[in-house]
Amino acid sequence: MVTLGTATAAPGEMDTGRLEVGETRDGSPVGLPVAVVNGADDGKTLYLQAASDGDELNGVGVIQRTLPQIDPGALSGTILVCGIVNYHAFQIAEHRNPIDDTKMNRAYPGDESGTSSERIAAATYDAAISADLVVDLHQGSTSRMIEEVRVRCGSRHRLHTECLELAKVFGCGYILDQKGPDGQLARAAPDEGVPTIDPELGGCVGWDEESIQTGVDGVFNVLTHYGFLDGHSSLQPQARATGFEQYGSPVGGVVDFQVELGDRVSRGQTLFEVTDVFGGSKAEITADSKGVFWRSRRLPQVATGEYVCSVGTNLDTY
Ligand SMILES: [Zn+2]
């Protein structure tokens, strides 16, 4: 039998349940929705989670569309799933957990007697490090972003190659290979010997069907490559960035982008213009380095110093 929370499945079966992590303010249990798929044959264990940031719903879409397509009788190994990690933020469609105003992906490995986010992190971390591979489904929040996979352990980590391989197998086309901040699952779990990636499935408000499909394809690529399912996934070369440059606005006004997401930009190329309310040009911002136009704000209006866009730099092919 394989168990996660109240979900328990014998070989060849699947079950769903709840992983309890404390109580809400009215005393009802907080139960993260979880699933276990116990393959008929032995194999590796994959841990999959979504909505670690409560407004990042594409990962929930990936899980919704993936699980019904998996026949436990045809599976070798086990899939553990937490469908919604940031329980409290998901309820109100916010990024951060409103109970402690914390970003979940800064709380790993968590603390079982800590804050709300630390407790959820600890509970899901236990499941994550019991696995052989971890896929933590994210997106660029509600801003606009290319589809990419992040490797966050850092290039000197002993599991760097394994994490990069997992990123290449998932196969979004782009990899951001850059050591992440403390508290990220994709940074913490490799310390326990578990290759972990953080696929970033575009960026949108609500669901984006194309990004969800990219995620579904990525999960099936992982399942076939690592022997959970029969079949063959051919590895494709990925454009890898190891640098990430962010641009803010030097003035207030309205942003007019001169490049599209995914465009290759050269050093000195205009990224965006800021105009005033009457259409007059106030500033033109150019790229400091060559790279890929990676992410941009969704709303056009900006104040001085406000985030506008990012360019992935130091590109190679992996
Ligand atoms: Zn996220």
Side-chain angles (χ1 to χ4, degrees):
M1 302 293 269
V2 175
T3 298
L4 177 58
T6 61
T8 297
E13 290 180 354
M14 179 205 166
D15 193 24
T16 61
R18 295 274 166 175
L19 178 63
E20 279 201 22
V21 191
E23 297 181 339
T24 63
R25 288 167 174 166
D26 70 359
S28 45
V30 170
L32 313 182
V34 291
V36 294
V37 189
N38 189 354
D41 291 318
D42 291 341
K44 292 181 187 297
T45 298
L46 170 68
Y47 173 69
L48 194 60
Q49 73 170 32
S52 165
D53 295 312
D55 59 350
E56 299 185 358
L57 304 183
N58 282 339
V60 181
V62 171
I63 284 167
Q64 262 219 336
R65 287 156 176 75
T66 302
L67 282 200
Q69 296 184 54
I70 296 172
D71 171 12
L75 188 76
S76 301
T78 303
I79 308 172
L80 305 173
V81 184
C82 180
I84 295 163
V85 172
N86 202 333
Y87 179 95
H88 300 284
F90 178 84
Q91 308 295 338
I92 55 166
E94 289 285 342
H95 193 76
R96 297 158 75 92
N97 181 351
I99 302 299
D100 53 14
D101 193 29
T102 295
K103 184 171 162 68
M104 185 66 64
N105 211 21
R106 298 292 181 274
Y108 284 93
D111 178 351
E112 63 184 19
S113 53
T115 63
S116 170
S117 294
E118 286 169 345
R119 287 169 192 249
I120 292 171
T124 50
Y125 195 65
D126 275 352
I129 63 172
S130 76
D132 300 298
L133 302 161
V134 171
V135 175
D136 181 14
L137 298 164
H138 283 260
Q139 67 189 58
S141 189
T142 56
S143 61
R144 301 167 62 247
M145 195 163 80
I146 60 170
E147 289 152 2
E148 42 113 337
V149 180
R150 295 190 175 181
V151 170
R152 292 310 225 168
C153 63
S155 61
R156 289 205 288 269
H157 198 281
R158 67 191 164 94
L159 254 63
H160 183 241
T161 305
E162 287 86 346
C163 293
L164 261 180
E165 186 193 348
L166 182 54
K168 183 167 182 163
V169 168
F170 197 90
C172 279
Y174 293 94
I175 296 174
L176 179 62
D177 181 13
Q178 192 185 52
K179 190 172 185 177
D182 281 344
Q184 290 192 329
L185 178 58
R187 198 175 140 191
D191 289 348
E192 302 296 329
V194 188
T196 301
I197 53 167
D198 164 358
E200 297 279 345
L201 301 171
C204 60
V205 179
W207 270 351
D208 182 288
E209 290 300 329
E210 256 180 55
S211 297
I212 290 171
Q213 190 56 49
T214 300
V216 171
D217 293 344
V219 171
F220 277 102
N221 289 342
V222 169
L223 291 175
T224 51
H225 182 86
Y226 291 95
F228 292 86
L229 293 173
D230 287 342
H232 181 73
S233 63
S234 61
L235 293 179
Q236 301 297 325
Q238 307 286 303
R240 173 173 67 162
T242 54
F244 200 58
E245 293 180 354
Q246 306 212 52
Y247 293 84
S249 183
V251 292
V254 179
V255 171
D256 183 14
F257 290 107
Q258 306 293 308
V259 284
E260 303 276 343
L261 286 181
D263 279 359
R264 298 278 174 150
V265 299
S266 50
R267 185 164 187 254
Q269 184 176 345
T270 301
L271 297 176
F272 62 93
E273 187 183 2
V274 186
T275 56
D276 66 20
V277 174
F278 309 105
S281 183
K282 293 184 76 176
E284 215 175 82
I285 282 65
T286 58
D288 294 334
S289 311
K290 68 174 179 179
V292 169
F293 194 64
W294 203 274
R295 179 179 185 169
S296 67
R297 63 184 289 107
R298 183 168 297 278
L299 295 174
Q301 70 274 35
V302 285
T304 301
E306 196 169 6
Y307 171 79
V308 177
C309 61
S310 309
V311 174
T313 62
N314 301 331
L315 293 174
D316 66 3
T317 301
Y318 183 81

